[in-house]
Amino acid sequence: MIMKVTKSQLAIIAIIVMSFALSIYFYPQLPDKMATHWNAKGEVDDHMGKEVGAFIMPVVMTVTVLIFLVILRIDPLKKNIEKFKSYYYGFIIAMCLFLFGIHWWMMLWNIGVKVSVNRVMPAAIGALYFFIGYIMKNFKRNWFMGIRTPWTLSNEVVWKRTHEVSGRLFMASSVIAMCGVFFPEYSLLLILVPILATAVFALVYSYVVYKKISNAELNGTADEMRIGEGSGDTTWDNIKEGYLYQVERSLLKVKHPAKKQVLEDVNSHLDRRYDELSEDERTWENFQQIITEMGPATDYAELLTPETLAGSHASSQKSLMGIVVSVVAVIVTVIVLVTVLSNKQGAYELQEVSNVENLGHPFENDPEAIGYWKSVDFVEVVEDFVPETKSWKGDLFLKDFTFKPNGRTSFSWTWTKDWVWHSNGRAKAQYKIKQMAGETYLFLPWLSDDVTIRHQKPSYYVLKKLTSQTPQIEPTPGVYSAIQWLELIDNGNYGASWEEAVDIFKNAATKEQ
């Protein structure tokens, strides 16, 4: 028997396959140690071997999808999930696209195409918030997805009203979160604060609505037009609650003193028809027949003021079209903004930190800097460092650093007194040397061959001076000669290195040595 695969499932499978394919494609270009985690300042604070880091996001995506599929089978209210299954799968697809986008960004970052995480995450999370808010009103009661409070889970109407309001708040939160694209230094707050406020409001709101419904004080307002608690624990309760809710929503669109009475009459008629059925006749088919006999829920409002309701239908259709257009507009706007800002970011950062004469700056010697330095710590500010106490818990990416004469270093960087330039000549870091506890320490701002985000200061590698020269090796005559020859290369004496290479090695060692 071949199991039928839906279009939604095919889309999910395609996204997962593409994410693994992306990892395989970029794998040869990735560094052995990948950046895999960024702190609130947008700085890399954790690395992972590319054997794991290249595939971590596709694996997370796969596990997430499997969990959602398991929920379809184990939720006590899984029949309710079936009622909004298309939205359920839509949410899974949205999550997969979100993770796929983050995965793509991470791959690009690690091969050198670096867009700040504090610009990417507000746009990505904001778009996800907006989509969740848009579909939230279609969620049915279940134990795993949506606003699950004791009051929403115990009452169908409380669930619906809470999700309608919370959906609008989610969409508002998305707009606030996307503002983090323009204010990256506050992006974390703009992402978290609105959604936490929404969660607190939903909790309180669901309780308030539940109490109003329980009191059954029907006076014709949106929050009070309800009859009984209607727990929805049985099939009939679910069907009845759903129909009454649609009637209630229809009646709220018109102004008429008899609308409360209409709702009560509909409820009484439903109860009477149910009581007329024997135990054997209380089947799902007969319940559906009762609803069919009652007619469309909108008919009851039309009996009161048909003209008003007709206008409301047109208004609803326009509103729906407006929402769809808004969703498309927001998505397009986010894509354009991120693209433009990403392109401008590099130019802005370059202007901010490289207000120097690049590599043409005259060299000024610093005898105190020349020598071999060993990394011992990584701190946010110089004052945080305590000798012989390591505050950084992870491995240190920069292991050591050597300042050589004439502005050379152990990397492809150059230096002059107080400053180190990256190899591309775009970024410079001002180092500091301090005497502490009888030792000499160098504090090197870490720019990682790119530039920090506006208004953010780089952290410091702390290096301890071990010798005045490069790390010592037990020099055999051949090794010593090789070091001499390499110094000619380092100093740019290429002609001399060519002429003296053979003589240096022959004089230093015999063929046997």
Side-chain angles (χ1 to χ4, degrees):
M1 181 178 177
I2 300 176
M3 185 174 64
K4 184 179 178 181
V5 180
T6 66
K7 292 180 180 179
S8 297
Q9 292 168 341
L10 282 174
I12 293 168
I13 294 171
I15 297 170
I16 293 175
V17 170
M18 285 192 298
S19 67
F20 277 102
L22 198 68
S23 298
I24 295 170
Y25 175 79
F26 281 115
Y27 191 84
Q29 307 172 55
L30 296 173
D32 292 336
K33 286 286 187 181
M34 287 179 57
T36 55
H37 193 272
W38 289 255
N39 60 25
K41 294 182 179 180
E43 302 164 341
V44 178
D45 62 2
D46 198 7
H47 294 77
M48 188 179 292
K50 73 175 183 178
E51 299 83 2
V52 178
F55 299 96
I56 187 69
M57 199 60 71
V59 170
V60 169
M61 188 188 305
T62 303
V63 172
T64 301
V65 170
L66 291 175
I67 290 173
F68 277 107
L69 295 179
V70 170
I71 288 173
L72 280 172
R73 295 181 174 274
I74 66 173
D75 193 319
L77 294 172
K78 59 186 177 183
K79 289 184 178 180
N80 281 355
I81 296 181
E82 291 292 331
K83 298 175 183 178
F84 70 104
K85 200 170 184 178
S86 60
Y87 294 100
Y88 187 85
Y89 274 107
F91 177 78
I92 298 176
I93 292 173
M95 282 296 300
C96 288
L97 289 174
F98 171 78
L99 295 174
F100 180 77
I102 299 302
H103 178 51
W104 197 327
W105 167 77
M106 189 185 298
M107 294 294 102
L108 292 176
W109 175 282
N110 279 281
I111 66 170
V113 184
K114 298 179 179 179
V115 181
S116 169
V117 66
N118 284 355
R119 293 190 187 278
V120 171
M121 293 306 287
I125 293 177
L128 186 63
Y129 283 172
F130 194 92
F131 181 78
I132 293 173
Y134 180 67
I135 67 172
M136 184 175 283
K137 62 184 179 181
N138 298 289
F139 291 175
K140 306 301 181 184
R141 280 190 313 132
N142 68 94
W143 287 91
F144 290 96
M145 181 182 290
I147 310 297
R148 301 175 307 281
T149 70
W151 308 289
T152 57
L153 289 172
S154 64
N155 189 285
E156 187 73 25
V157 177
V158 177
W159 172 280
K160 290 178 180 178
R161 290 181 178 171
T162 300
H163 281 74
E164 287 176 350
V165 174
S166 298
R168 291 192 288 269
L169 292 177
F170 257 85
M171 295 168 76
S173 297
S174 76
V175 176
I176 297 174
M178 289 181 188
C179 290
V181 174
F182 305 99
F183 306 101
E185 62 271 27
Y186 303 112
S187 60
L188 186 63
L189 290 176
L190 292 172
I191 289 171
L192 292 180
V193 171
I195 212 65
L196 290 175
T198 296
V200 172
F201 177 86
L203 178 68
V204 175
Y205 181 80
S206 64
Y207 173 75
V208 171
V209 175
Y210 178 84
K211 293 300 292 182
K212 286 185 177 181
I213 290 174
S214 298
N215 293 335
E217 294 291 338
L218 302 182
N219 59 15
T221 65
D223 287 337
E224 295 171 341
M225 284 185 63
R226 199 69 209 102
I227 297 177
E229 294 187 12
S231 63
D233 292 333
T234 68
T235 303
W236 171 248
D237 286 335
N238 277 327
I239 294 173
K240 174 185 171 182
E241 288 290 345
Y243 187 76
L244 285 175
Y245 181 77
Q246 294 301 320
V247 174
E248 176 186 291
R249 290 299 300 268
S250 175
L251 291 173
L252 289 174
K253 297 173 184 177
V254 299
K255 293 182 178 180
H256 198 284
K259 63 182 182 179
K260 174 185 174 183
Q261 186 61 49
V262 169
L263 186 65
E264 291 177 342
D265 289 344
V266 171
N267 181 71
S268 299
H269 185 77
L270 287 171
D271 288 340
R272 184 168 65 254
R273 288 289 288 114
Y274 176 78
D275 292 336
E276 290 172 356
L277 299 175
S278 65
E279 288 292 332
D280 294 337
E281 292 174 330
R282 289 175 181 176
T283 63
W284 184 86
E285 290 78 11
N286 286 334
F287 296 156
Q288 291 299 316
Q289 181 61 35
I290 294 175
I291 299 301
T292 302
E293 294 170 359
M294 297 294 294
T298 55
D299 287 353
Y300 298 97
E302 290 176 352
L303 291 174
L304 297 178
T305 50
E307 298 83 3
T308 304
L309 189 59
S312 70
H313 277 314
S315 176
S316 298
Q317 291 178 356
K318 291 180 180 179
S319 176
L320 179 60
M321 286 300 297
I323 292 174
V324 173
V325 172
S326 299
V327 171
V328 174
V330 169
I331 293 174
V332 172
T333 302
V334 170
I335 293 173
V336 171
L337 284 175
V338 171
T339 303
V340 172
L341 290 172
S342 299
N343 293 332
K344 289 185 177 180
Q345 182 182 351
Y348 176 84
E349 292 169 342
L350 175 60
Q351 181 182 1
E352 183 179 36
V353 300
S354 63
N355 188 21
V356 294
E357 296 181 50
N358 290 339
L359 299 180
H361 192 283
F363 173 72
E364 183 180 355
N365 195 25
D366 185 359
E368 191 177 17
I370 295 175
Y372 176 67
W373 302 82
K374 181 72 174 177
S375 296
V376 295
D377 206 352
F378 188 73
V379 296
E380 289 191 7
V381 293
V382 173
E383 291 73 19
D384 288 347
F385 175 66
V386 178
E388 307 303 327
T389 302
K390 184 180 177 183
S391 61
W392 182 254
K393 302 305 179 183
D395 293 333
L396 295 171
F397 178 73
L398 178 67
K399 304 299 182 185
D400 52 28
F401 197 87
T402 301
F403 285 82
K404 298 181 181 181
N406 300 323
R408 303 291 177 177
T409 70
S410 52
F411 289 81
S412 57
W413 305 345
T414 56
W415 70 276
T416 185
K417 183 175 174 59
D418 297 332
W419 295 95
V420 173
W421 272 274
H422 280 216
S423 56
N424 56 21
R426 290 172 42 184
K428 68 172 185 174
Q430 185 174 22
Y431 66 82
K432 301 177 183 179
I433 296 177
K434 286 194 170 189
Q435 301 293 328
M436 304 176 70
E439 300 286 354
T440 305
Y441 293 95
L442 176 116
F443 296 85
L444 180 66
W446 190 243
L447 302 182
S448 186
D449 207 28
D450 61 346
V451 195
T452 54
I453 303 163
R454 78 173 80 172
H455 307 311
Q456 294 184 5
K457 297 180 180 179
S459 299
Y460 291 84
Y461 266 102
V462 185
L463 302 100
K464 180 178 178 181
K465 195 169 190 179
L466 298 186
T467 68
S468 60
Q469 302 296 327
T470 54
Q472 296 299 309
I473 312 170
E474 283 299 326
T476 65
V479 170
Y480 185 76
S481 298
I483 293 174
Q484 284 185 307
W485 181 72
L486 287 172
E487 286 182 352
L488 292 173
I489 296 292
D490 289 341
N491 293 329
N493 298 324
Y494 304 116
S497 70
W498 172 261
E499 294 171 359
E500 298 182 21
V502 176
D503 291 336
I504 286 176
F505 288 110
K506 280 186 176 179
N507 294 335
T510 65
K511 182 178 180 181
E512 290 74 15
Q513 288 174 322

